[in-house]
Amino acid sequence: MVNRKINMGYSMIVAAALLALLNGRSIPYIVNTFLHTIVSQSTITLALTVGLITVLAYLMDQYLILDRMVVSLETILRSAKLTILLAPSIMGTLLVYGGALMSCPVVGRLGDRLSISKDEKATINLLFRHTLFLIFPLSPAMILAIELGEIAAWDLIKIQFPISVFMYILGYILFIRNYKDPEIKKVNTQEYLKAIMQFLLYALPILISLLGALIFSMPFYISLLLGIGISMAINTYDKRYDTKYDMGENPLKTMYKGLKMPLVIAIIGIMFYRNIVTDMDEIYVFFGNLLEQGMPLELLIFMACAVICLSLASAQPGIAILFPIVLPLAPDYDTKLLYAMFIFTTSFLFYYISPLHLCQVLTLEYFEVGLRKLYKNYVYLIPLTFLSMVAIYVVNIF
């Protein structure tokens, strides 16, 4: 259904209902489980958080806050190579479907100055936009994993941090290191300090959203509301001095336009599927039988992630389906964390290379590059990143 461009949430709801019916559950049971799902605090909190992330992303894009943040970043770094490495990552913090298109013009402009080929521009845009996926606490996948796995955000971020850094460094070595930086326009001390202040100002909506949740333990949706408020305050100030920042509409209407309901519905579908699966002993018995027959747990996770995340072009279904099945098998919290890392990272990598991955489709279209050339650039990147995760897993599991 997802392949036919039907919303993932509706697909997961239908899949959960069919799974329940095939395992002998009644229609009243399915209806009651669905109603329980949509009124549960975890579903409401998760859907509200994801919805507000899309609003913040939209406001920062429409108010040109993100563009100005990237421009000031290049002035600070004094390097096109560092900017092309960091700009997609910063823009990637606004996790919306197909959002890689936002950073394509930036990567294209910087890539031209560095004389980078089209296929490597596409690779750089995708790679450095998604490298933070494993550690960014406001991503829907991370929020979902924390909620389903009942694990601390910092614990999962900490164990996956080396993988993210490895992928970043490997990407730099493979695709950026050998290019020479062009000359950068010189700026005086006053101009440099001004660029730093501008970067901090335009990054403030994201910084406040992160710090409120991580440092001050606010609920994510509260810290996101603060970030949205700061974005609107910046725009209010900008409009006084330049009419190009005036949207010509009520800010509440702009916020409404930014709310991506398909993502909210997707969260409801995922949570409904999770509740059906966790209440179904037959799945655990089947899973246990496969393990008793000698199939390694890690191989099961790998195969399941491949089937689910490649076909659905999303990491969330892999996390939603496998977390409730695999994590209860862990004998202690540390082992559960390792299982979570294995599922999360493997789901991410298969989602990342999926031919249906919207960011990938849009990036290839923008740079006019074929999928085969992109996959050729992944020959070392993806296997080595996966092996870095396996190394962490093996060292800690034994």
Side-chain angles (χ1 to χ4, degrees):
M1 291 178 71
V2 172
N3 291 345
R4 294 178 179 272
K5 297 184 179 180
I6 296 174
N7 178 270
M8 184 191 299
Y10 295 134
S11 301
M12 296 294 282
I13 290 170
V14 172
L18 287 175
L19 184 63
L21 289 171
L22 290 172
N23 284 274
R25 301 302 193 270
S26 66
I27 291 179
Y29 164 82
I30 296 171
V31 172
N32 287 334
T33 304
F34 181 76
L35 293 176
H36 172 74
T37 298
I38 61 177
V39 299
S40 70
Q41 182 178 352
S42 58
T43 302
I44 293 171
T45 300
L46 193 55
L48 184 59
T49 299
V50 170
L52 289 174
I53 289 173
T54 67
V55 172
L56 177 61
Y58 185 79
L59 292 181
M60 291 190 69
D61 178 41
Q62 294 296 306
Y63 293 162
L64 303 179
I65 294 173
L66 202 59
D67 290 345
R68 288 177 284 173
M69 184 172 67
V70 171
V71 170
S72 60
L73 178 65
E74 185 176 2
T75 303
I76 294 168
L77 296 177
R78 315 298 302 150
S79 167
K81 289 168 68 173
L82 285 177
T83 307
I84 202 173
L85 186 149
L86 291 175
S89 296
I90 292 172
M91 300 176 90
T93 58
L94 302 179
L95 289 157
V96 292
Y97 284 131
L101 195 59
M102 294 166 60
S103 53
C104 281
V106 177
V107 171
R109 176 168 58 85
L110 293 169
D112 288 340
R113 292 171 58 190
L114 292 165
S115 300
I116 296 176
S117 63
K118 285 185 176 182
D119 62 287
E120 288 193 338
K121 286 180 193 174
T123 305
I124 288 167
N125 188 59
L126 289 165
L127 168 60
F128 295 115
R129 175 178 173 79
H130 290 87
T131 308
L132 292 181
F133 191 97
L134 296 170
I135 58 174
F136 187 55
L138 293 181
S139 75
M142 181 66 73
I143 295 169
L144 181 67
I146 293 164
E147 182 68 32
L148 295 183
E150 297 180 349
I151 50 183
W154 177 243
D155 289 340
L156 187 57
I157 291 170
K158 187 166 56 176
I159 199 170
Q160 293 183 162
F161 183 77
I163 308 168
S164 183
V165 171
F166 177 84
M167 194 174 186
Y168 225 102
I169 294 173
L170 185 60
Y172 175 81
I173 293 171
L174 291 174
F175 307 113
I176 296 178
R177 182 186 60 171
N178 293 329
Y179 292 100
K180 185 178 179 181
D181 250 325
E183 284 191 25
I184 304 292
K185 178 186 174 183
K186 291 184 179 181
V187 294
N188 57 38
T189 303
Q190 185 177 357
E191 290 172 328
Y192 190 79
L193 291 175
K194 182 181 178 182
I196 293 175
M197 296 304 295
Q198 287 177 334
F199 176 77
L200 292 174
L201 172 64
Y202 298 133
L204 199 57
I206 296 174
L207 292 175
I208 290 296
S209 298
L210 289 172
L211 295 176
L214 295 179
I215 305 297
F216 301 104
S217 300
M218 293 180 182
F220 274 131
Y221 59 88
I222 297 296
S223 60
L224 284 164
L225 284 172
L226 292 175
I228 289 170
I230 290 171
S231 296
M232 296 172 70
I234 291 173
N235 180 250
T236 300
Y237 177 83
D238 288 337
K239 287 189 294 186
R240 294 179 180 177
Y241 300 96
D242 196 331
T243 56
K244 75 176 182 180
Y245 299 113
D246 191 349
M247 298 288 294
E249 63 184 12
N250 190 296
L252 293 178
K253 184 177 180 180
T254 309
M255 288 178 62
Y256 176 76
K257 286 182 178 179
L259 179 62
K260 300 294 185 287
M261 283 306 297
L263 284 178
V264 176
I265 294 169
I267 291 299
I268 295 172
I270 287 170
M271 295 300 285
F272 177 52
Y273 192 99
R274 170 245 190 166
N275 290 340
I276 290 290
V277 168
T278 53
D279 196 35
M280 197 165 287
D281 294 336
E282 295 89 343
I283 292 178
Y284 297 99
V285 172
F286 173 74
F287 204 74
N289 288 338
L290 290 176
L291 294 174
E292 287 176 6
Q293 291 172 13
M295 181 175 284
L297 175 63
E298 295 78 11
L299 180 58
L300 276 176
I301 293 172
F302 183 87
M303 292 172 61
C305 289
V307 172
I308 296 166
C309 300
L310 267 178
S311 60
L312 298 182
S314 176
Q316 283 94 306
I319 294 167
I321 292 170
L322 293 176
F323 264 46
I325 297 173
V326 175
L327 298 197
L329 301 175
D332 52 54
Y333 181 79
D334 289 339
T335 305
K336 181 167 78 165
L337 197 59
L338 289 171
Y339 288 170
M341 175 194 68
F342 203 107
I343 295 169
F344 195 105
T345 304
T346 308
S347 295
F348 160 67
L349 290 175
F350 278 115
Y351 144 70
Y352 180 77
I353 64 172
S354 171
L356 302 173
H357 180 183
L358 185 56
C359 286
Q360 184 167 272
V361 172
L362 294 174
T363 297
L364 292 177
E365 183 69 25
Y366 183 89
F367 289 111
E368 299 178 346
V369 174
L371 188 60
R372 183 177 297 180
K373 284 189 176 181
L374 185 70
Y375 280 172
K376 186 178 179 181
N377 290 340
Y378 288 164
V379 167
Y380 297 108
L381 177 69
I382 301 302
L384 289 176
T385 301
F386 179 76
L387 288 176
S388 72
M389 182 275 294
V390 172
I392 295 173
Y393 181 83
V394 170
V395 167
N396 286 278
I397 201 73
F398 297 113

